[in-house]
Amino acid sequence: LIDMINERFIRMFRLGLLEVLRTTPRVNPSRVQIIKFGDYLKMLKAPLAVNTVRMHPLRGFSVVIIDPNVVFSSLDSFFGGFGKGVGELPPGRLFTPTETRIIKIILDVFFRSLTEAWAPLMPLECEHISSEINPQFAQIADENDLVVLNRFESDQPNTGGKGFIDLVYPYSTLKPIRELLSSRVTSGDGNEESEKQWAEELKMAVDSANLELRVILGAIDTSIGQIEAMEEGDVLFFKKPEFARMLVNGLPAFDVQPGSVGAQTAVQIERACIPDQQ
């Protein structure tokens, strides 16, 4: 469900940036990762716009980290440029008041979009706690604690400038609501009757789907050279397996015993395939 929230967030975030920055950068989500906080910090290099936030009613603190390239390209767009980014900054370089103002604008759009993205699941209120340039000072978790990393990669269509914005939740923040997250994966408007009807229609559609069944009686490992050397009358020897294998749409499904029923060739299902034998 976090992926669904992120997709909804991106749509709203892009619209919000268009209103305030007069440009629409491409914002794409990376795969949500669960990693140790210490490993995540090793991925980062100061200076960054590191913002500790509180998301009520979620417990604990989260962090929003903005790449300087996003800040500078947004600053350039805000003043009528083409969204040109910036190269690598010195480690101790602080953000100027103007750059800090742009960061605040981005955060306001970010928080508003995130609140709207979470709204179908639960009301969320974002509170900015502090700002740093060194991610080492954003101690939202211990180094060995797990965090949920949501990375949104941004690039400007005119200049090709790239950057990222990270939203990092401590795993302990989302753990108390994991049942709520999993129970709402298929929920849209919260209408239980419509969800039940949708599930029944989906089941009927699946039940009538056509599948290809194939039964493999045996297999021989060989090579192209051996095949090319074969002549009429050659005999291939192989050990007959205990069961034949039934494939459903190319995927191993059952171990079967071949036989016949009347004049028809048939198979008798013995057992479902064991996963590690597939």
Side-chain angles (χ1 to χ4, degrees), residues 136-157:
Q136 299 290 337
F137 295 139
Q139 293 300 322
I140 62 170
D142 292 334
E143 286 193 358
N144 291 323
D145 289 345
L146 295 177
V147 295
V148 180
L149 169 60
N150 306 268
R151 171 157 291 187
F152 306 100
E153 296 178 340
S154 169
D155 65 90
Q156 291 289 341

Side-chain angles (χ1 to χ4, degrees), residues 40 48-53 55 62-66 103 106-107 110-111 114 128 130 132 138 140 165-168:
Y40 169 66
L48 297 164
V50 182
N51 302 277
T52 303
V53 299
M55 299 180 181
S62 300
V63 68
V64 178
I65 298 182
I66 306 175
I103 293 172
I106 295 173
L107 283 176
F110 190 97
F111 292 156
L114 191 64
H128 183 264
S130 64
E132 306 284 350
I140 62 170
I165 301 178
D166 286 350
L167 170 59
V168 183

Side-chain angles (χ1 to χ4, degrees), residues 10 14 25-30 151-155:
I10 285 175
R14 292 189 66 189
R26 297 187 183 94
V27 182
N28 303 304
S30 298
R151 171 157 291 187
F152 306 100
E153 296 178 340
S154 169
D155 65 90

Side-chain angles (χ1 to χ4, degrees), residues 15-250:
L15 290 174
L17 291 180
L18 178 61
E19 292 178 3
V20 297
L21 299 179
R22 308 180 187 93
T23 185
T24 308
R26 297 187 183 94
V27 182
N28 303 304
S30 298
R31 183 178 177 183
V32 176
Q33 299 181 57
I34 299 178
I35 62 176
K36 289 183 179 180
F37 187 54
D39 293 337
Y40 169 66
L41 292 178
K42 293 176 183 177
M43 298 164 50
L44 305 175
K45 186 175 181 180
L48 297 164
V50 182
N51 302 277
T52 303
V53 299
R54 179 72 184 271
M55 299 180 181
H56 305 277
L58 302 180
R59 71 182 187 185
F61 298 93
S62 300
V63 68
V64 178
I65 298 182
I66 306 175
D67 185 351
N69 273 310
V70 175
V71 177
F72 282 88
S73 62
S74 299
L75 179 63
D76 190 51
S77 297
F78 187 77
F79 287 104
F82 294 100
K84 185 177 180 180
V86 66
E88 187 172 326
L89 297 175
R93 202 271 200 188
L94 300 175
F95 291 104
T96 67
T98 302
E99 294 160 1
T100 301
R101 177 58 181 164
I102 290 294
I103 293 172
K104 185 179 185 307
I105 290 175
I106 295 173
L107 283 176
D108 288 343
V109 177
F110 190 97
F111 292 156
R112 185 168 65 249
S113 302
L114 191 64
T115 299
E116 294 177 7
W118 275 81
L121 181 69
M122 61 185 295
L124 195 70
E125 181 182 350
C126 299
E127 177 188 359
H128 183 264
I129 302 299
S130 64
S131 296
E132 306 284 350
I133 62 168
N134 191 334
Q136 299 290 337
F137 295 139
Q139 293 300 322
I140 62 170
D142 292 334
E143 286 193 358
N144 291 323
D145 289 345
L146 295 177
V147 295
V148 180
L149 169 60
N150 306 268
R151 171 157 291 187
F152 306 100
E153 296 178 340
S154 169
D155 65 90
Q156 291 289 341
N158 296 322
T159 66
K162 296 183 180 295
F164 66 85
I165 301 178
D166 286 350
L167 170 59
V168 183
Y169 306 102
Y171 184 76
S172 59
T173 293
L174 299 181
K175 189 175 180 179
I177 62 169
R178 65 180 183 271
E179 292 184 4
L180 177 62
L181 291 171
S182 60
S183 67
R184 292 296 298 272
V185 168
T186 59
S187 295
D189 55 7
N191 190 322
E192 294 184 3
E193 186 61 32
S194 65
E195 291 295 333
K196 182 178 179 181
Q197 181 180 353
W198 177 84
E200 291 176 352
E201 292 176 354
L202 179 61
K203 183 178 183 300
M204 292 174 60
V206 171
D207 286 344
S208 62
N210 293 322
L211 298 175
E212 179 192 46
L213 299 183
R214 288 193 298 130
V215 176
I216 298 179
L217 300 179
I220 298 176
D221 291 329
T222 185
S223 66
I224 293 178
Q226 290 173 321
I227 295 295
E228 291 177 339
M230 291 177 62
E231 299 178 355
E232 183 178 349
D234 286 349
V235 178
L236 297 176
F237 296 95
F238 73 100
K239 182 179 180 181
K240 180 179 177 296
E242 181 181 1
F243 298 108
R245 177 62 56 86
M246 177 185 287
L247 306 182
V248 179
N249 271 18

